[in-house]
Amino acid sequence: MILDLQPLNLPSDNRRPFVIAGPCSAETEEQVMTTAHELAHKGCHIFRAGVWKPRTKPGGFEGQGEKALPWLQRVKEETGMLIATEVATPRHVEAALQAGIDILWIGARTTANPFAIQELADSLKGTDIPVFVKNPVNPDLELWIGALLRLNGAGVKRIGAIHRGFSSVDQKLYRNVPLWHLPIELHRRITNLPIACDPSHIGGRRDLIAPLCQQAMDMGFEGLIIESHCNPDEAWSDAKQQVTPDVLDFILEHLVVRDNVEMTESLVSLRKQIDEMDSQLMDLLTKRMRVSREIALYKKDHNMSVVQRERYSEILAKRAAQGSLCGMDPAFIRRVYEEIHAESVRQQMEIINK
């Protein structure tokens, strides 16, 4: 799938990808200007700050609203940096455009609502402003793609995606689990779409930002959007995931940006080996499904249920343990066998219902 897109043409220093940095929220004019000047001194080209802040529960700081837009205008006038903020309603879009905001992004909660996205798309008709779309809160690739299609259908052509991770009921290392395979699949589906990574919202902790930035570079992401505050410990929102401009500069200076080079003979040979092993895996899966269908005939003859819970639990436990011994993540092995079992059940159901 190829969207009708134009290049974002965002500034960078050519040593690393484009970087959008600034505080989670525009709290005060002094905080905005102090952070902006420190970032500009470090070579930052694009300044971000949340003007409208959607919060999970009422009562928290929800941004200064339009009152903060002149502060961002002042940032642009005094530092020359482009300015970016999040919008969630057509009114936000109107106010941001009137204030001369250079870049907009749409947050995860908004992306999950097709009606809200369509209203934003309609309000952006006829504009040439770059618009980034964060992934929806839940791991739903189709919702993410749908939001991009709605914007592009309204004539918005300078579009990018932001990977900010996905919510999970499990308490894990990350605030929002990365699920890297989803932005990778998004890029495979929409090959001309630039994707930036938001390590601040994925990690939720300062110490995770550097390794997440490097992971994004290793996977070929085009840019980064990182929360940076002149005094993170005193931030009015998301204090734990913001870094000072000095720390941000240190992280970016130590990033290893991978080159896109032509494939060598050794890489071609290794990929050929992968292809051959994938063919072997397909052969083994075909044989496994054949045995599953034979089991289905036995179950049908003996009036047995398709799913045998104890057997299924045994397979997951054993294979996860085997995976661990082989240096693989047990959770990954469980996911693989959950999918294999689902296909096996589907094929068995076809036979039993004949």
Side-chain angles (χ1 to χ4, degrees):
M1 179 191 304
I2 300 210
L3 299 186
D4 182 15
L5 301 182
Q6 294 178 353
L8 291 173
N9 292 329
L10 300 182
S12 71
D13 57 14
N14 295 321
R15 292 183 295 111
R16 54 199 183 208
F18 68 81
V19 177
I20 303 173
C24 172
S25 305
E27 301 162 0
T28 67
E29 186 171 7
E30 180 183 6
Q31 168 250 5
V32 166
M33 296 310 303
T34 299
T35 306
H37 280 289
E38 290 182 12
L39 287 170
H41 181 69
K42 299 296 182 181
C44 183
H45 301 284
I46 309 172
F47 181 81
R48 57 142 291 157
V51 172
W52 301 277
K53 296 298 299 178
R55 311 301 291 175
T56 302
K57 296 178 182 179
F61 174 63
E62 297 187 331
Q64 296 285 14
E66 294 184 28
K67 170 185 174 182
L69 291 174
W71 308 342
L72 298 188
Q73 290 175 317
R74 184 181 164 196
V75 167
K76 188 174 181 178
E77 292 169 0
E78 294 188 12
T79 69
M81 288 191 289
L82 300 183
I83 48 178
T85 198
E86 177 179 342
V87 291
T89 70
R91 174 58 193 156
H92 293 170
V93 171
E94 180 184 2
L97 294 177
Q98 288 179 352
I101 300 296
D102 299 294
I103 300 165
L104 302 177
W105 78 82
I106 297 171
R109 293 177 177 88
T110 309
T111 303
N113 185 339
F115 292 109
I117 289 291
Q118 190 60 56
E119 289 181 354
L120 289 173
D122 293 341
S123 68
L124 285 162
K125 280 183 179 178
T127 66
D128 187 39
I129 190 170
V131 180
F132 284 91
V133 181
K134 288 194 173 186
N135 62 258
V137 175
N138 295 319
D140 189 333
L141 183 60
E142 301 308 321
L143 265 180
W144 201 359
I145 292 174
L148 296 164
L149 289 173
R150 289 178 185 276
L151 287 165
N152 200 222
V156 182
K157 296 186 177 181
R158 297 173 69 192
I159 301 175
I162 295 175
H163 173 47
R164 49 80 77 190
F166 301 88
S167 296
S168 172
V169 295
D170 300 325
Q171 291 296 321
K172 297 182 181 290
L173 173 63
Y174 302 106
R175 177 181 177 183
N176 295 292
V177 290
L179 300 182
W180 295 104
H181 65 283
L182 288 176
I184 290 171
E185 175 62 13
L186 176 66
H187 198 266
R188 187 190 72 80
R189 299 261 295 269
I190 309 177
T191 55
N192 61 333
L193 178 72
I195 304 179
C197 180
D198 179 351
S200 304
H201 279 89
I202 292 176
R205 288 169 26 194
R206 293 170 203 159
D207 60 312
L208 294 176
I209 291 176
L212 284 166
C213 286
Q214 188 58 60
Q215 281 182 276
M217 293 302 96
D218 293 343
M219 295 185 192
F221 281 55
E222 284 85 353
L224 298 165
I225 178 167
I226 305 174
E227 293 186 352
S228 180
H229 191 294
C230 59
N231 189 4
D233 290 330
E234 301 300 322
W236 296 3
S237 59
D238 288 346
K240 293 180 180 179
Q241 66 190 41
Q242 301 191 64
V243 295
T244 65
D246 281 339
V247 170
L248 175 61
D249 185 58
F250 179 84
I251 291 171
L252 297 177
E253 284 294 330
H254 288 80
L255 271 186
V256 177
V257 181
R258 309 299 177 185
D259 294 325
N260 291 321
V261 298
E262 294 294 326
M263 289 192 298
T264 62
E265 288 186 15
S266 60
L267 180 58
V268 171
S269 175
L270 290 170
R271 287 185 172 179
K272 185 177 179 181
Q273 292 180 48
I274 289 289
D275 290 340
E276 291 172 354
M277 286 183 277
D278 283 344
S279 294
Q280 293 171 16
L281 281 173
M282 290 301 297
D283 288 340
L284 286 173
L285 283 173
T286 300
K287 292 175 182 177
R288 193 185 194 283
M289 292 304 163
R290 187 181 303 126
V291 174
S292 290
R293 291 193 294 272
E294 292 177 8
I295 291 173
L297 292 171
Y298 181 90
K299 289 176 179 177
K300 185 175 183 179
D301 290 342
H302 293 79
N303 198 30
M304 296 172 63
S305 63
V306 170
V307 178
Q308 303 289 310
R309 291 186 177 85
E310 290 185 3
R311 170 62 176 162
Y312 179 40
S313 297
E314 177 189 355
I315 289 174
L316 291 180
K318 283 185 176 179
R319 302 302 173 257
Q322 284 180 303
S324 181
L325 289 173
C326 294
M328 290 181 281
D329 183 355
F332 160 70
I333 297 298
R334 287 181 65 90
R335 289 195 300 272
V336 168
Y337 274 88
E338 284 168 358
E339 292 297 328
I340 291 174
H341 181 262
E343 176 60 18
S344 178
V345 168
R346 186 191 69 79
Q347 294 200 20
Q348 289 190 23
M349 289 293 293
E350 284 185 354
I351 291 173
I352 286 180
N353 290 326
K354 283 183 179 178

